[in-house]
Every structure is written in C-alpha cells, then in structure tokens.
Amino acid sequence: MQRKQIFKLAFVLILLGLAVYSLYPTLQFGQLQNREQELLTKVSNLTGISHGEIQAAINQGKLLAQIRQQTSGEDSIQALKTSTHLIQLNDKLTVLQERAIRRGLDLQGGTYLVYEVDLPKLMRDISKNPDERLDDIISQTQEQLENEGGDFFVHFQQVFNQRNIRLNRYYGRKGQADDDIIQELKNEALDTVDRTVERLRNRIDQFGVSEPNITKQGSRRIIIELAGVTNIQRAKDIIGKTAVLEFKLVRDPEIVWSILNDIDRVVRAEMRGEEFEEAVMDTQSIADGEQASEEEIDVSELFGEDETQVVQEDTSVLVDQKTFKEKPFTSLLRGVSGRYSEMISVPVQNVRAVQRWLSHPEVQQAIPSDSEFLFGIDSYAYGENEYVSLYLVKSEAELTGNVLKNAQVDISSGAQSFNAGAAVVNMELNSEGTKTFARVTGMNVGKKLAIVLDNRVKSAPNIKSKIPNGNAVIENIGEMEEAQDLALVLRAGALPAPVHIITENTVGPSLGQDSIQKGSLSAVVGLLVVILFMVIYYRAAGLVADIALIMNIIFVLAVMASFHATLTLPGIAGIILTVGMAVDANVLIFERIREELKMGRTIRSSIDNGYDRAFSTILDANITTLITAVVLYQFGTGPIKGFALTLSIGIVASMFTAIVVTRLVFDIVTSKYAIKKLSI
C-alpha cells in the first residue's frame, strides 16, 4: 500500500471514529429516556404528582421536599428512593442532551403556540396625545391589514397620508419626517417583540420543558414549540403569566449570621439524630473561597444515616473540613473577594444540597417568616470553582415590576463613580414608583436592594443615597452584553403591549411515536432497496458504493449531533433523498468506468479516467442542488429549514464518500491484488 493511500485511509478512519463518538450520546440518550419514563410513571403512581410537575420540581431542586410533604409511610420511602434515581438519571440526560440530536415537535409530540403582539394597542400607548382621531386611524389600519394583508406600518403610514395628517402630531419630534418616525415605530415594535420573547422564556424555564424552541416570525409574531408538553391549557396558563419582577431589600449581615447559626444548629442536630439545640453558637464565619480546606464528601454524610437510601449514590459536595462538624450548613458556603465579596457564594456542586436543606421543614422554621433565601440567576467563576450567589432578602417586596417604565443600557461617565466607561443600566420608574422608590432609598442608604426576577436575584446594587427622581442606575454589572441582557430582563417585567394567541395545536405523543416509526421505516426501506439495487446491478463495485452510502448516513447524523441540530420529519425526508442522491455520483463513475473498459483500457486506467472525467459532472450537479438547499434554508421557515439542513449536510457528505472513500477502496484493492477483471 502506498504512503498516500495510508494517509487517506487513516484520515477516513479518524473521521469515522469521530462520527461514531459524536453519535454515541444520541444512542445512549434514547435508551436512558425510556428508563426515565419508567421512573416518572412509578413516582407519579406513588405520589399522585403529574409527570410535568415532577419534571418542574426536579429542575427547581424541590422534588424530594415536595414528596415528603405530599406522601407518608411506605409510599413515601419508595417514592424518595425512586426519585433519587430519577434525579440522578435526569442529570445524566441533561449532559447527554447537550451532545445529542434533538427531536422536533413533530417527532416527540408537544404543544405549538403562536403569539402575536398587539401593535394597535402599542401605537396608542406610546403616542404623545392619543385621541378619538388616532383611535379611528388605528382601527382603519387594522381593517386594511385584515383585508389586504401586508405590513402594519405600511398601512399605518398610508392612512395618515390619506387624511393629510403628519405623524409627528402623535409621535416623534416636532418637524420630524414621517419616514423617520415610521422607522422609530418599527424599532419600538421589534424591541417589544424581543422583550416578549424574554418574558416567555422566563415562564417556560419554570414550566420545566427541556429544549423549548422560541423563535420570532416576522415583525410581531412569536412561535413557541414545547416538545413533550401535551397539556395545552396548562402551558398557556403558565406562559401567559406576567413575569414577576420585584425589588427586595437584602438583610443586614448580622441577621444573616444569626439565621445561619440557627440553620447550623438544626442541620447538626438532624445529622446526629439529636434534639434541636437552643444554645447560641459562637460567632459565625464563612470559609474563604481560596483558603477553604476543601474536602469532597458523599451526600449521605451530610444528610445523615437515616436518609442514606434516598440520596444520590454517586453525588458529592464540597465542604470546608474545618467547620463541617460544628457548622455543617455553613461549610457548604464560601466567601469570595472582588465584586462578589459582599454576598454569600455557593459552589455549583453544592447548590442542590443547599436547596434541599433550605426546603427542610425544620430549617424552614428556623428562618423568620419575613425573610427568605434566594439564589442569583447567573453563575460566576472564582479560582478553580464555579459559584452561584445566595441572598437573604425580605419576603415582602418594596416595589414590583409594574412601576418600571423603562430600562436602558448606558456607559458610565464616571462623574459619580469610579467606573468610567463601564456598562450601566438606567431605570426609569412611573410616578407611583418614583414616590415609593424615594422613600425606600431614603430610609435604607448603605443597604443593598435586590432586583428579583421570578424568585431569582439578577442584581443587588448598593443604595448610595436617596433617589427622588425615579431614575436609578445599576452599576458593577460586567460586560456590555450582560448589561444589555439585564436591561432586557427589566423591561420584560413591564411589557408595553399585550400578546394574543392566534394559533394553538397539540401533537400527541402517540402521533409523534407513529411519525418516528413511519419515518424510520421509510428511511430503512429506501436504504435497503438502494443497497440491493447497487449490489445486483454493479456487483462488487456496488458493494463498495453501499459501504460509502452507509458511511454517508453516519456522517450526516454525526454532523447534526455535533451542531446539536433538530431532527424533524422533513429532516428525515432530506436524509431519504440523500440516500438516493448519494449513489448517483457512483452511478456516473461506474458507468464511465464501464465505457473505459469497453474501449479496451486497463483496469487501473479505467478507474482513473472514470473518476477524473465524471468529477466535473458530479460537482456541477451537487453544487446546483446545494445552492437550492442553501436558499431554502435561508428563506424557509420551520419544516423547510429542517429539510434544507439535512439535504445540505447530505450533499457534502455524499461528495466525500462517493469520490474519496470509494476511490480509496478501488486504489487499495487494485494496488494490492493483481485483478484481471473488475466486477462492475
């Protein structure tokens, strides 16, 4: 075998190995999903909790606590054991899901919703001086839109022109051109849709749906696909709730230490199986993130011998071994320096254990009713570990999101801070919020005010002085992208226009499974027919083409898995089409080789000429098809994109397997063996 052939063979084998490695999580994910369904059904039967509620409780780290509250006796023990395995399996599935091929709504079943932003109401709300004439203009615009279709703003401007009314009467600045005002209104509408998407994402995350698909369609519509969710009414109820934005005061450190002391006494007593201690412990302290004597222990050591059977078998937590015996709960926490120095930090590895203790009935009694622990939304790196912030805040909010008028990203000038050039978020409150905010900030100078979204703390800035004008600045945010995300989240709590459901469909899991079976069957049948035809018509050469065909399908699926693409029914159709097209190149090559052999050329010369002379035809045919697929992907939506994606990947893969792989086989065989007649 020549050195060039060895290099080519090694390259092909490496690619094949990478493809198999990329596909393994998808195969394993499918097997574990069946096991997950069995455990979900078992827990549901023991507790009466629905599958959706169980999944949501797992995502929030509250499943075990919820089971303890709703069950007792032998059912409770069995449910806790099964739930522990379910949580462990869910963690594995979460990791695998990041590397597996996702299944679309048409394959998995679920809920399909289309929301539309109410642009007519938005136009009235943002106008400078709304009156009956504007209402009439908006009504006529809506009527034209329903009758003729098209773009809302085109009709909106036409109605103004028909009535000889300038847009700056209601929008923009005095003397501003109509075209400029229309562009600003379009930008406002797009911003509204972006905020609505963020709001819906917040609700869907709480709903417990894995890999939800939320996309904008046009200038005012939002498509939501919730794979695996078939209770459409419950989905609508949860998604349609207003995002809960709250401003809560962070408790003073002295109160935090006192409550942590009480929690430590409860946890220590629970671990040792003793009665609750009333004696007050010594001064409280949290281990420094860099200086802590880290020790990894099994969860069973933390939750005591009585619960050894209901904890995750191979899960561990990081504790500070210096304080673990006397302060077991505090040993799970850390203190870090820098911008996070004034808050409690929890290693990501410990979050679930901390959540579990905080939901424990005895620990709940140790926390005053006017206070609550909340985790931060974002994690951050410090040293070698990843952390999440933990805050003790007042249970009652000082302000809610309904007082927020606007939030925009800006660059700090440094006039009143040392953060010149850093990204900040400027908040603007309405009149009611301005009065309340002035009172709250005036009475709590030097304290922290937590900005809470759906019970997770987004930011907790210091109150430097009384703020009487309703304008607040959030500093120490980080990068510009983080500031933009924060501003978007804040605005999401005060949506300027309502949204309405215009389409709702439910795809049942039975239909999804039926689609999978029929789609898979069609692909397998198509593959077998093509394989059989090639072997019968081209004999040994056809077998070589079949090997390339199978490799082609493996490469297509591997690329989809690598890019975490979504497989849909149209995508399966694209794969089936690829099966037919994959052998098309070999047919051209084999026919050309036959012609060369009939002309009396040698086998080696016929193979070389067959590949060389068929190459330009193969290239032209595949490039034109690829261009079509790219155009379909660029301008198509939903199913069209799925078809175009798999077709595009299949074309590139078939070019490689048909030209490189098959020729490599012929080169190796003809160079190693003295073949007198080519079976083709």
Side-chain angles (χ1 to χ4, degrees):
M1 195 184 306
Q2 299 177 3
R3 179 177 297 180
K4 185 177 180 181
Q5 295 173 356
I6 294 176
F7 285 142
K8 284 185 178 181
L9 180 60
F11 178 69
V12 171
L13 291 177
I14 290 174
L15 286 181
L16 186 60
L18 291 174
V20 173
Y21 174 78
S22 179
L23 281 177
Y24 177 73
T26 301
L27 300 175
Q28 191 178 20
F29 182 76
Q31 295 174 352
L32 293 181
Q33 265 194 322
N34 296 331
R35 175 59 178 164
E36 182 189 37
Q37 289 301 315
E38 294 176 3
L39 294 178
L40 279 171
T41 301
K42 187 175 180 180
V43 173
S44 180
N45 292 336
L46 289 170
T47 61
I49 306 173
S50 68
H51 286 202
E53 291 172 337
I54 293 173
Q55 192 64 58
I58 291 175
N59 294 340
Q60 298 168 11
K62 300 178 180 179
L63 178 58
L64 297 180
Q66 187 173 345
I67 291 175
R68 289 192 185 95
Q69 294 174 358
Q70 298 187 12
T71 59
S72 60
E74 185 65 25
D75 285 349
S76 178
I77 296 175
Q78 291 296 325
L80 288 171
K81 289 181 180 179
T82 307
S83 298
T84 299
H85 296 305
L86 180 60
I87 293 171
Q88 183 179 0
L89 183 60
N90 185 264
D91 291 339
K92 292 180 181 178
L93 285 171
T94 301
V95 175
L96 288 174
Q97 194 173 39
E98 294 299 321
R99 300 169 54 195
I101 298 175
R102 292 185 296 175
R103 288 184 296 169
L105 188 67
D106 50 0
L107 295 182
Q108 191 175 358
T111 297
Y112 175 87
L113 301 170
V114 179
Y115 284 86
E116 185 174 75
V117 174
D118 192 343
L119 289 184
K121 189 175 188 307
L122 175 64
M123 292 301 100
R124 177 175 175 79
D125 290 345
I126 65 176
S127 63
K128 295 184 291 186
N129 49 350
D131 53 24
E132 293 183 0
R133 178 182 293 180
L134 178 62
D135 292 339
D136 189 40
I137 291 174
I138 293 175
S139 298
Q140 184 178 346
T141 301
Q142 186 68 9
E143 183 178 347
Q144 288 186 9
L145 185 65
E146 293 174 356
N147 294 333
E148 303 174 16
D151 184 76
F152 175 87
F153 292 102
V154 172
H155 291 291
F156 195 50
Q157 188 172 8
Q158 286 178 355
V159 175
F160 269 92
N161 292 337
Q162 291 169 3
R163 302 193 179 198
N164 293 321
I165 301 175
R166 297 292 302 277
L167 278 162
N168 58 33
R169 176 184 176 89
Y170 297 100
Y171 307 98
R173 301 178 303 276
K174 185 177 181 180
Q176 188 176 8
D178 286 356
D179 290 342
D180 294 338
I181 293 176
I182 285 294
Q183 186 59 49
E184 290 182 359
L185 293 178
K186 288 182 178 179
N187 294 338
E188 180 69 26
L190 290 174
D191 185 63
T192 299
V193 175
D194 289 338
R195 283 180 275 167
T196 304
V197 169
E198 185 66 25
R199 169 191 169 190
L200 296 177
R201 285 190 192 280
N202 293 333
R203 305 319 310 169
I204 291 170
D205 288 342
Q206 181 178 325
F207 192 51
V209 181
S210 60
E211 298 295 338
N213 184 25
I214 308 174
T215 56
K216 293 190 296 183
Q217 184 184 56
S219 60
R220 57 190 297 193
R221 291 186 178 180
I222 302 167
I223 297 176
I224 301 176
E225 295 180 346
L226 306 178
V229 177
T230 56
N231 189 338
I232 190 169
Q233 187 57 50
R234 181 166 180 263
K236 285 160 53 180
D237 290 343
I238 291 180
I239 295 172
K241 291 180 181 177
T242 302
V244 180
L245 176 67
E246 299 171 304
F247 297 84
K248 295 186 175 183
L249 285 170
V250 178
R251 288 299 192 183
D252 294 334
E254 295 80 7
I255 299 177
V256 177
W257 305 143
S258 175
I259 294 176
L260 289 179
N261 276 331
D262 290 340
I263 294 176
D264 275 320
R265 293 202 304 275
V266 173
V267 173
R268 191 172 68 253
E270 288 286 331
M271 289 176 58
R272 298 176 181 177
E274 302 172 351
E275 294 294 329
F276 176 71
E277 303 174 22
E278 295 293 344
V280 178
M281 291 177 58
D282 295 334
T283 56
Q284 182 74 26
S285 62
I286 295 178
D288 183 271
E290 291 185 339
Q291 301 176 2
S293 301
E294 301 281 15
E295 180 182 3
E296 192 171 67
I297 66 170
D298 191 85
V299 177
S300 59
E301 296 183 46
L302 181 63
F303 290 96
E305 295 180 358
D306 293 340
E307 302 201 22
T308 302
Q309 301 301 320
V310 297
V311 297
Q312 300 179 49
E313 296 173 0
D314 59 350
T315 299
S316 57
V317 293
L318 289 174
V319 299
D320 176 35
Q321 58 181 344
K322 295 179 182 178
T323 59
F324 175 61
K325 290 185 178 180
E326 294 301 320
K327 303 175 181 179
F329 182 78
T330 307
S331 69
L332 297 170
L333 313 178
R334 297 292 180 271
V336 301
S337 58
R339 56 182 293 207
Y340 304 105
S341 60
E342 297 182 1
M343 61 188 69
I344 301 172
S345 298
V346 182
V348 171
Q349 186 175 346
N350 296 354
V351 168
R352 183 163 288 174
V354 172
Q355 288 175 327
R356 183 174 173 184
W357 273 125
L358 291 178
S359 62
H360 194 283
E362 296 293 338
V363 173
Q364 286 286 322
Q365 294 180 9
I367 302 174
S369 59
D370 63 346
S371 302
E372 61 179 342
F373 280 99
L374 297 178
F375 282 93
I377 291 179
D378 305 311
S379 61
Y380 49 89
Y382 181 78
E384 298 180 355
N385 292 326
E386 194 82 7
Y387 295 91
V388 176
S389 299
L390 180 65
Y391 302 84
L392 180 68
V393 301
K394 291 181 65 175
S395 300
E396 185 177 353
E398 305 298 328
L399 298 95
T400 58
N402 58 5
V403 303
L404 183 64
K405 188 176 180 181
N406 197 10
Q408 296 292 340
V409 178
D410 201 356
I411 301 297
S412 175
S413 63
Q416 297 179 348
S417 70
F418 298 100
N419 298 322
V424 297
V425 173
N426 291 321
M427 293 188 299
E428 181 183 355
L429 307 180
N430 60 22
S431 57
E432 177 187 353
T434 299
K435 295 177 183 177
T436 306
F437 200 58
R439 175 180 56 80
V440 172
T441 55
M443 296 175 60
N444 296 280
V445 175
K447 297 183 178 181
K448 289 181 176 292
L449 184 64
I451 300 171
V452 183
L453 183 69
D454 289 339
N455 276 338
R456 299 293 293 270
V457 178
K458 182 62 180 177
S459 178
N462 284 313
I463 301 174
K464 296 182 178 181
S465 62
K466 179 179 179 179
I467 304 175
N469 57 5
N471 293 320
V473 178
I474 303 177
E475 299 179 325
N476 300 321
I477 298 174
E479 302 295 331
M480 175 60 71
E481 184 177 356
E482 185 178 352
Q484 291 172 341
D485 291 343
L486 176 57
L488 186 62
V489 168
L490 291 174
R491 295 197 304 271
L495 199 64
V499 292
H500 307 292
I501 292 180
I502 61 174
T503 302
E504 55 181 60
N505 292 314
T506 300
V507 181
S510 59
L511 176 60
Q513 186 61 36
D514 185 58
S515 299
I516 294 174
Q517 292 174 351
K518 289 185 177 180
S520 302
L521 179 62
S522 61
V524 171
V525 170
L527 177 62
L528 292 177
V529 170
V530 171
I531 289 176
L532 187 61
F533 170 80
M534 293 298 291
V535 172
I536 294 175
Y537 196 76
Y538 291 108
R539 301 176 186 177
L543 183 61
V544 174
D546 290 339
I547 295 173
L549 174 61
I550 295 173
M551 290 182 63
N552 175 51
I553 296 175
I554 293 175
F555 286 145
V556 171
L557 295 176
V559 171
M560 293 188 68
S562 300
F563 289 94
H564 201 37
T566 300
L567 181 63
T568 61
L569 277 178
I572 293 179
I575 294 176
I576 295 172
L577 179 60
T578 299
V579 169
M581 295 182 60
V583 296
D584 180 62
N586 288 121
V587 169
L588 292 174
I589 294 170
F590 293 167
E591 290 298 327
R592 188 64 190 180
I593 292 175
R594 280 180 169 180
E595 292 178 3
E596 295 291 327
L597 290 172
K598 290 179 180 179
M599 294 171 61
R601 300 186 186 277
T602 63
I603 293 176
R604 183 68 264 169
S605 176
S606 297
I607 292 173
D608 291 339
N609 290 338
Y611 276 92
D612 293 342
R613 295 180 180 180
F615 178 77
S616 59
T617 304
I618 296 171
L619 185 64
D620 291 343
N622 282 275
I623 286 181
T624 53
T625 307
L626 183 61
I627 291 173
T628 303
V630 170
V631 172
L632 287 175
Y633 186 83
Q634 180 66 32
F635 298 102
T637 58
I640 302 300
K641 278 194 172 185
F643 173 79
L645 178 63
T646 53
L647 181 60
S648 300
I649 300 172
I651 290 171
V652 176
S654 65
M655 284 277 291
F656 174 76
T657 55
I659 296 176
V660 177
V661 175
T662 57
R663 183 164 188 174
L664 177 62
V665 174
F666 281 124
D667 288 344
I668 293 175
V669 172
T670 54
S671 63
K672 193 172 183 179
Y673 303 100
I675 299 176
K676 296 181 179 180
K677 184 178 180 180
L678 187 63
S679 178
I680 189 171

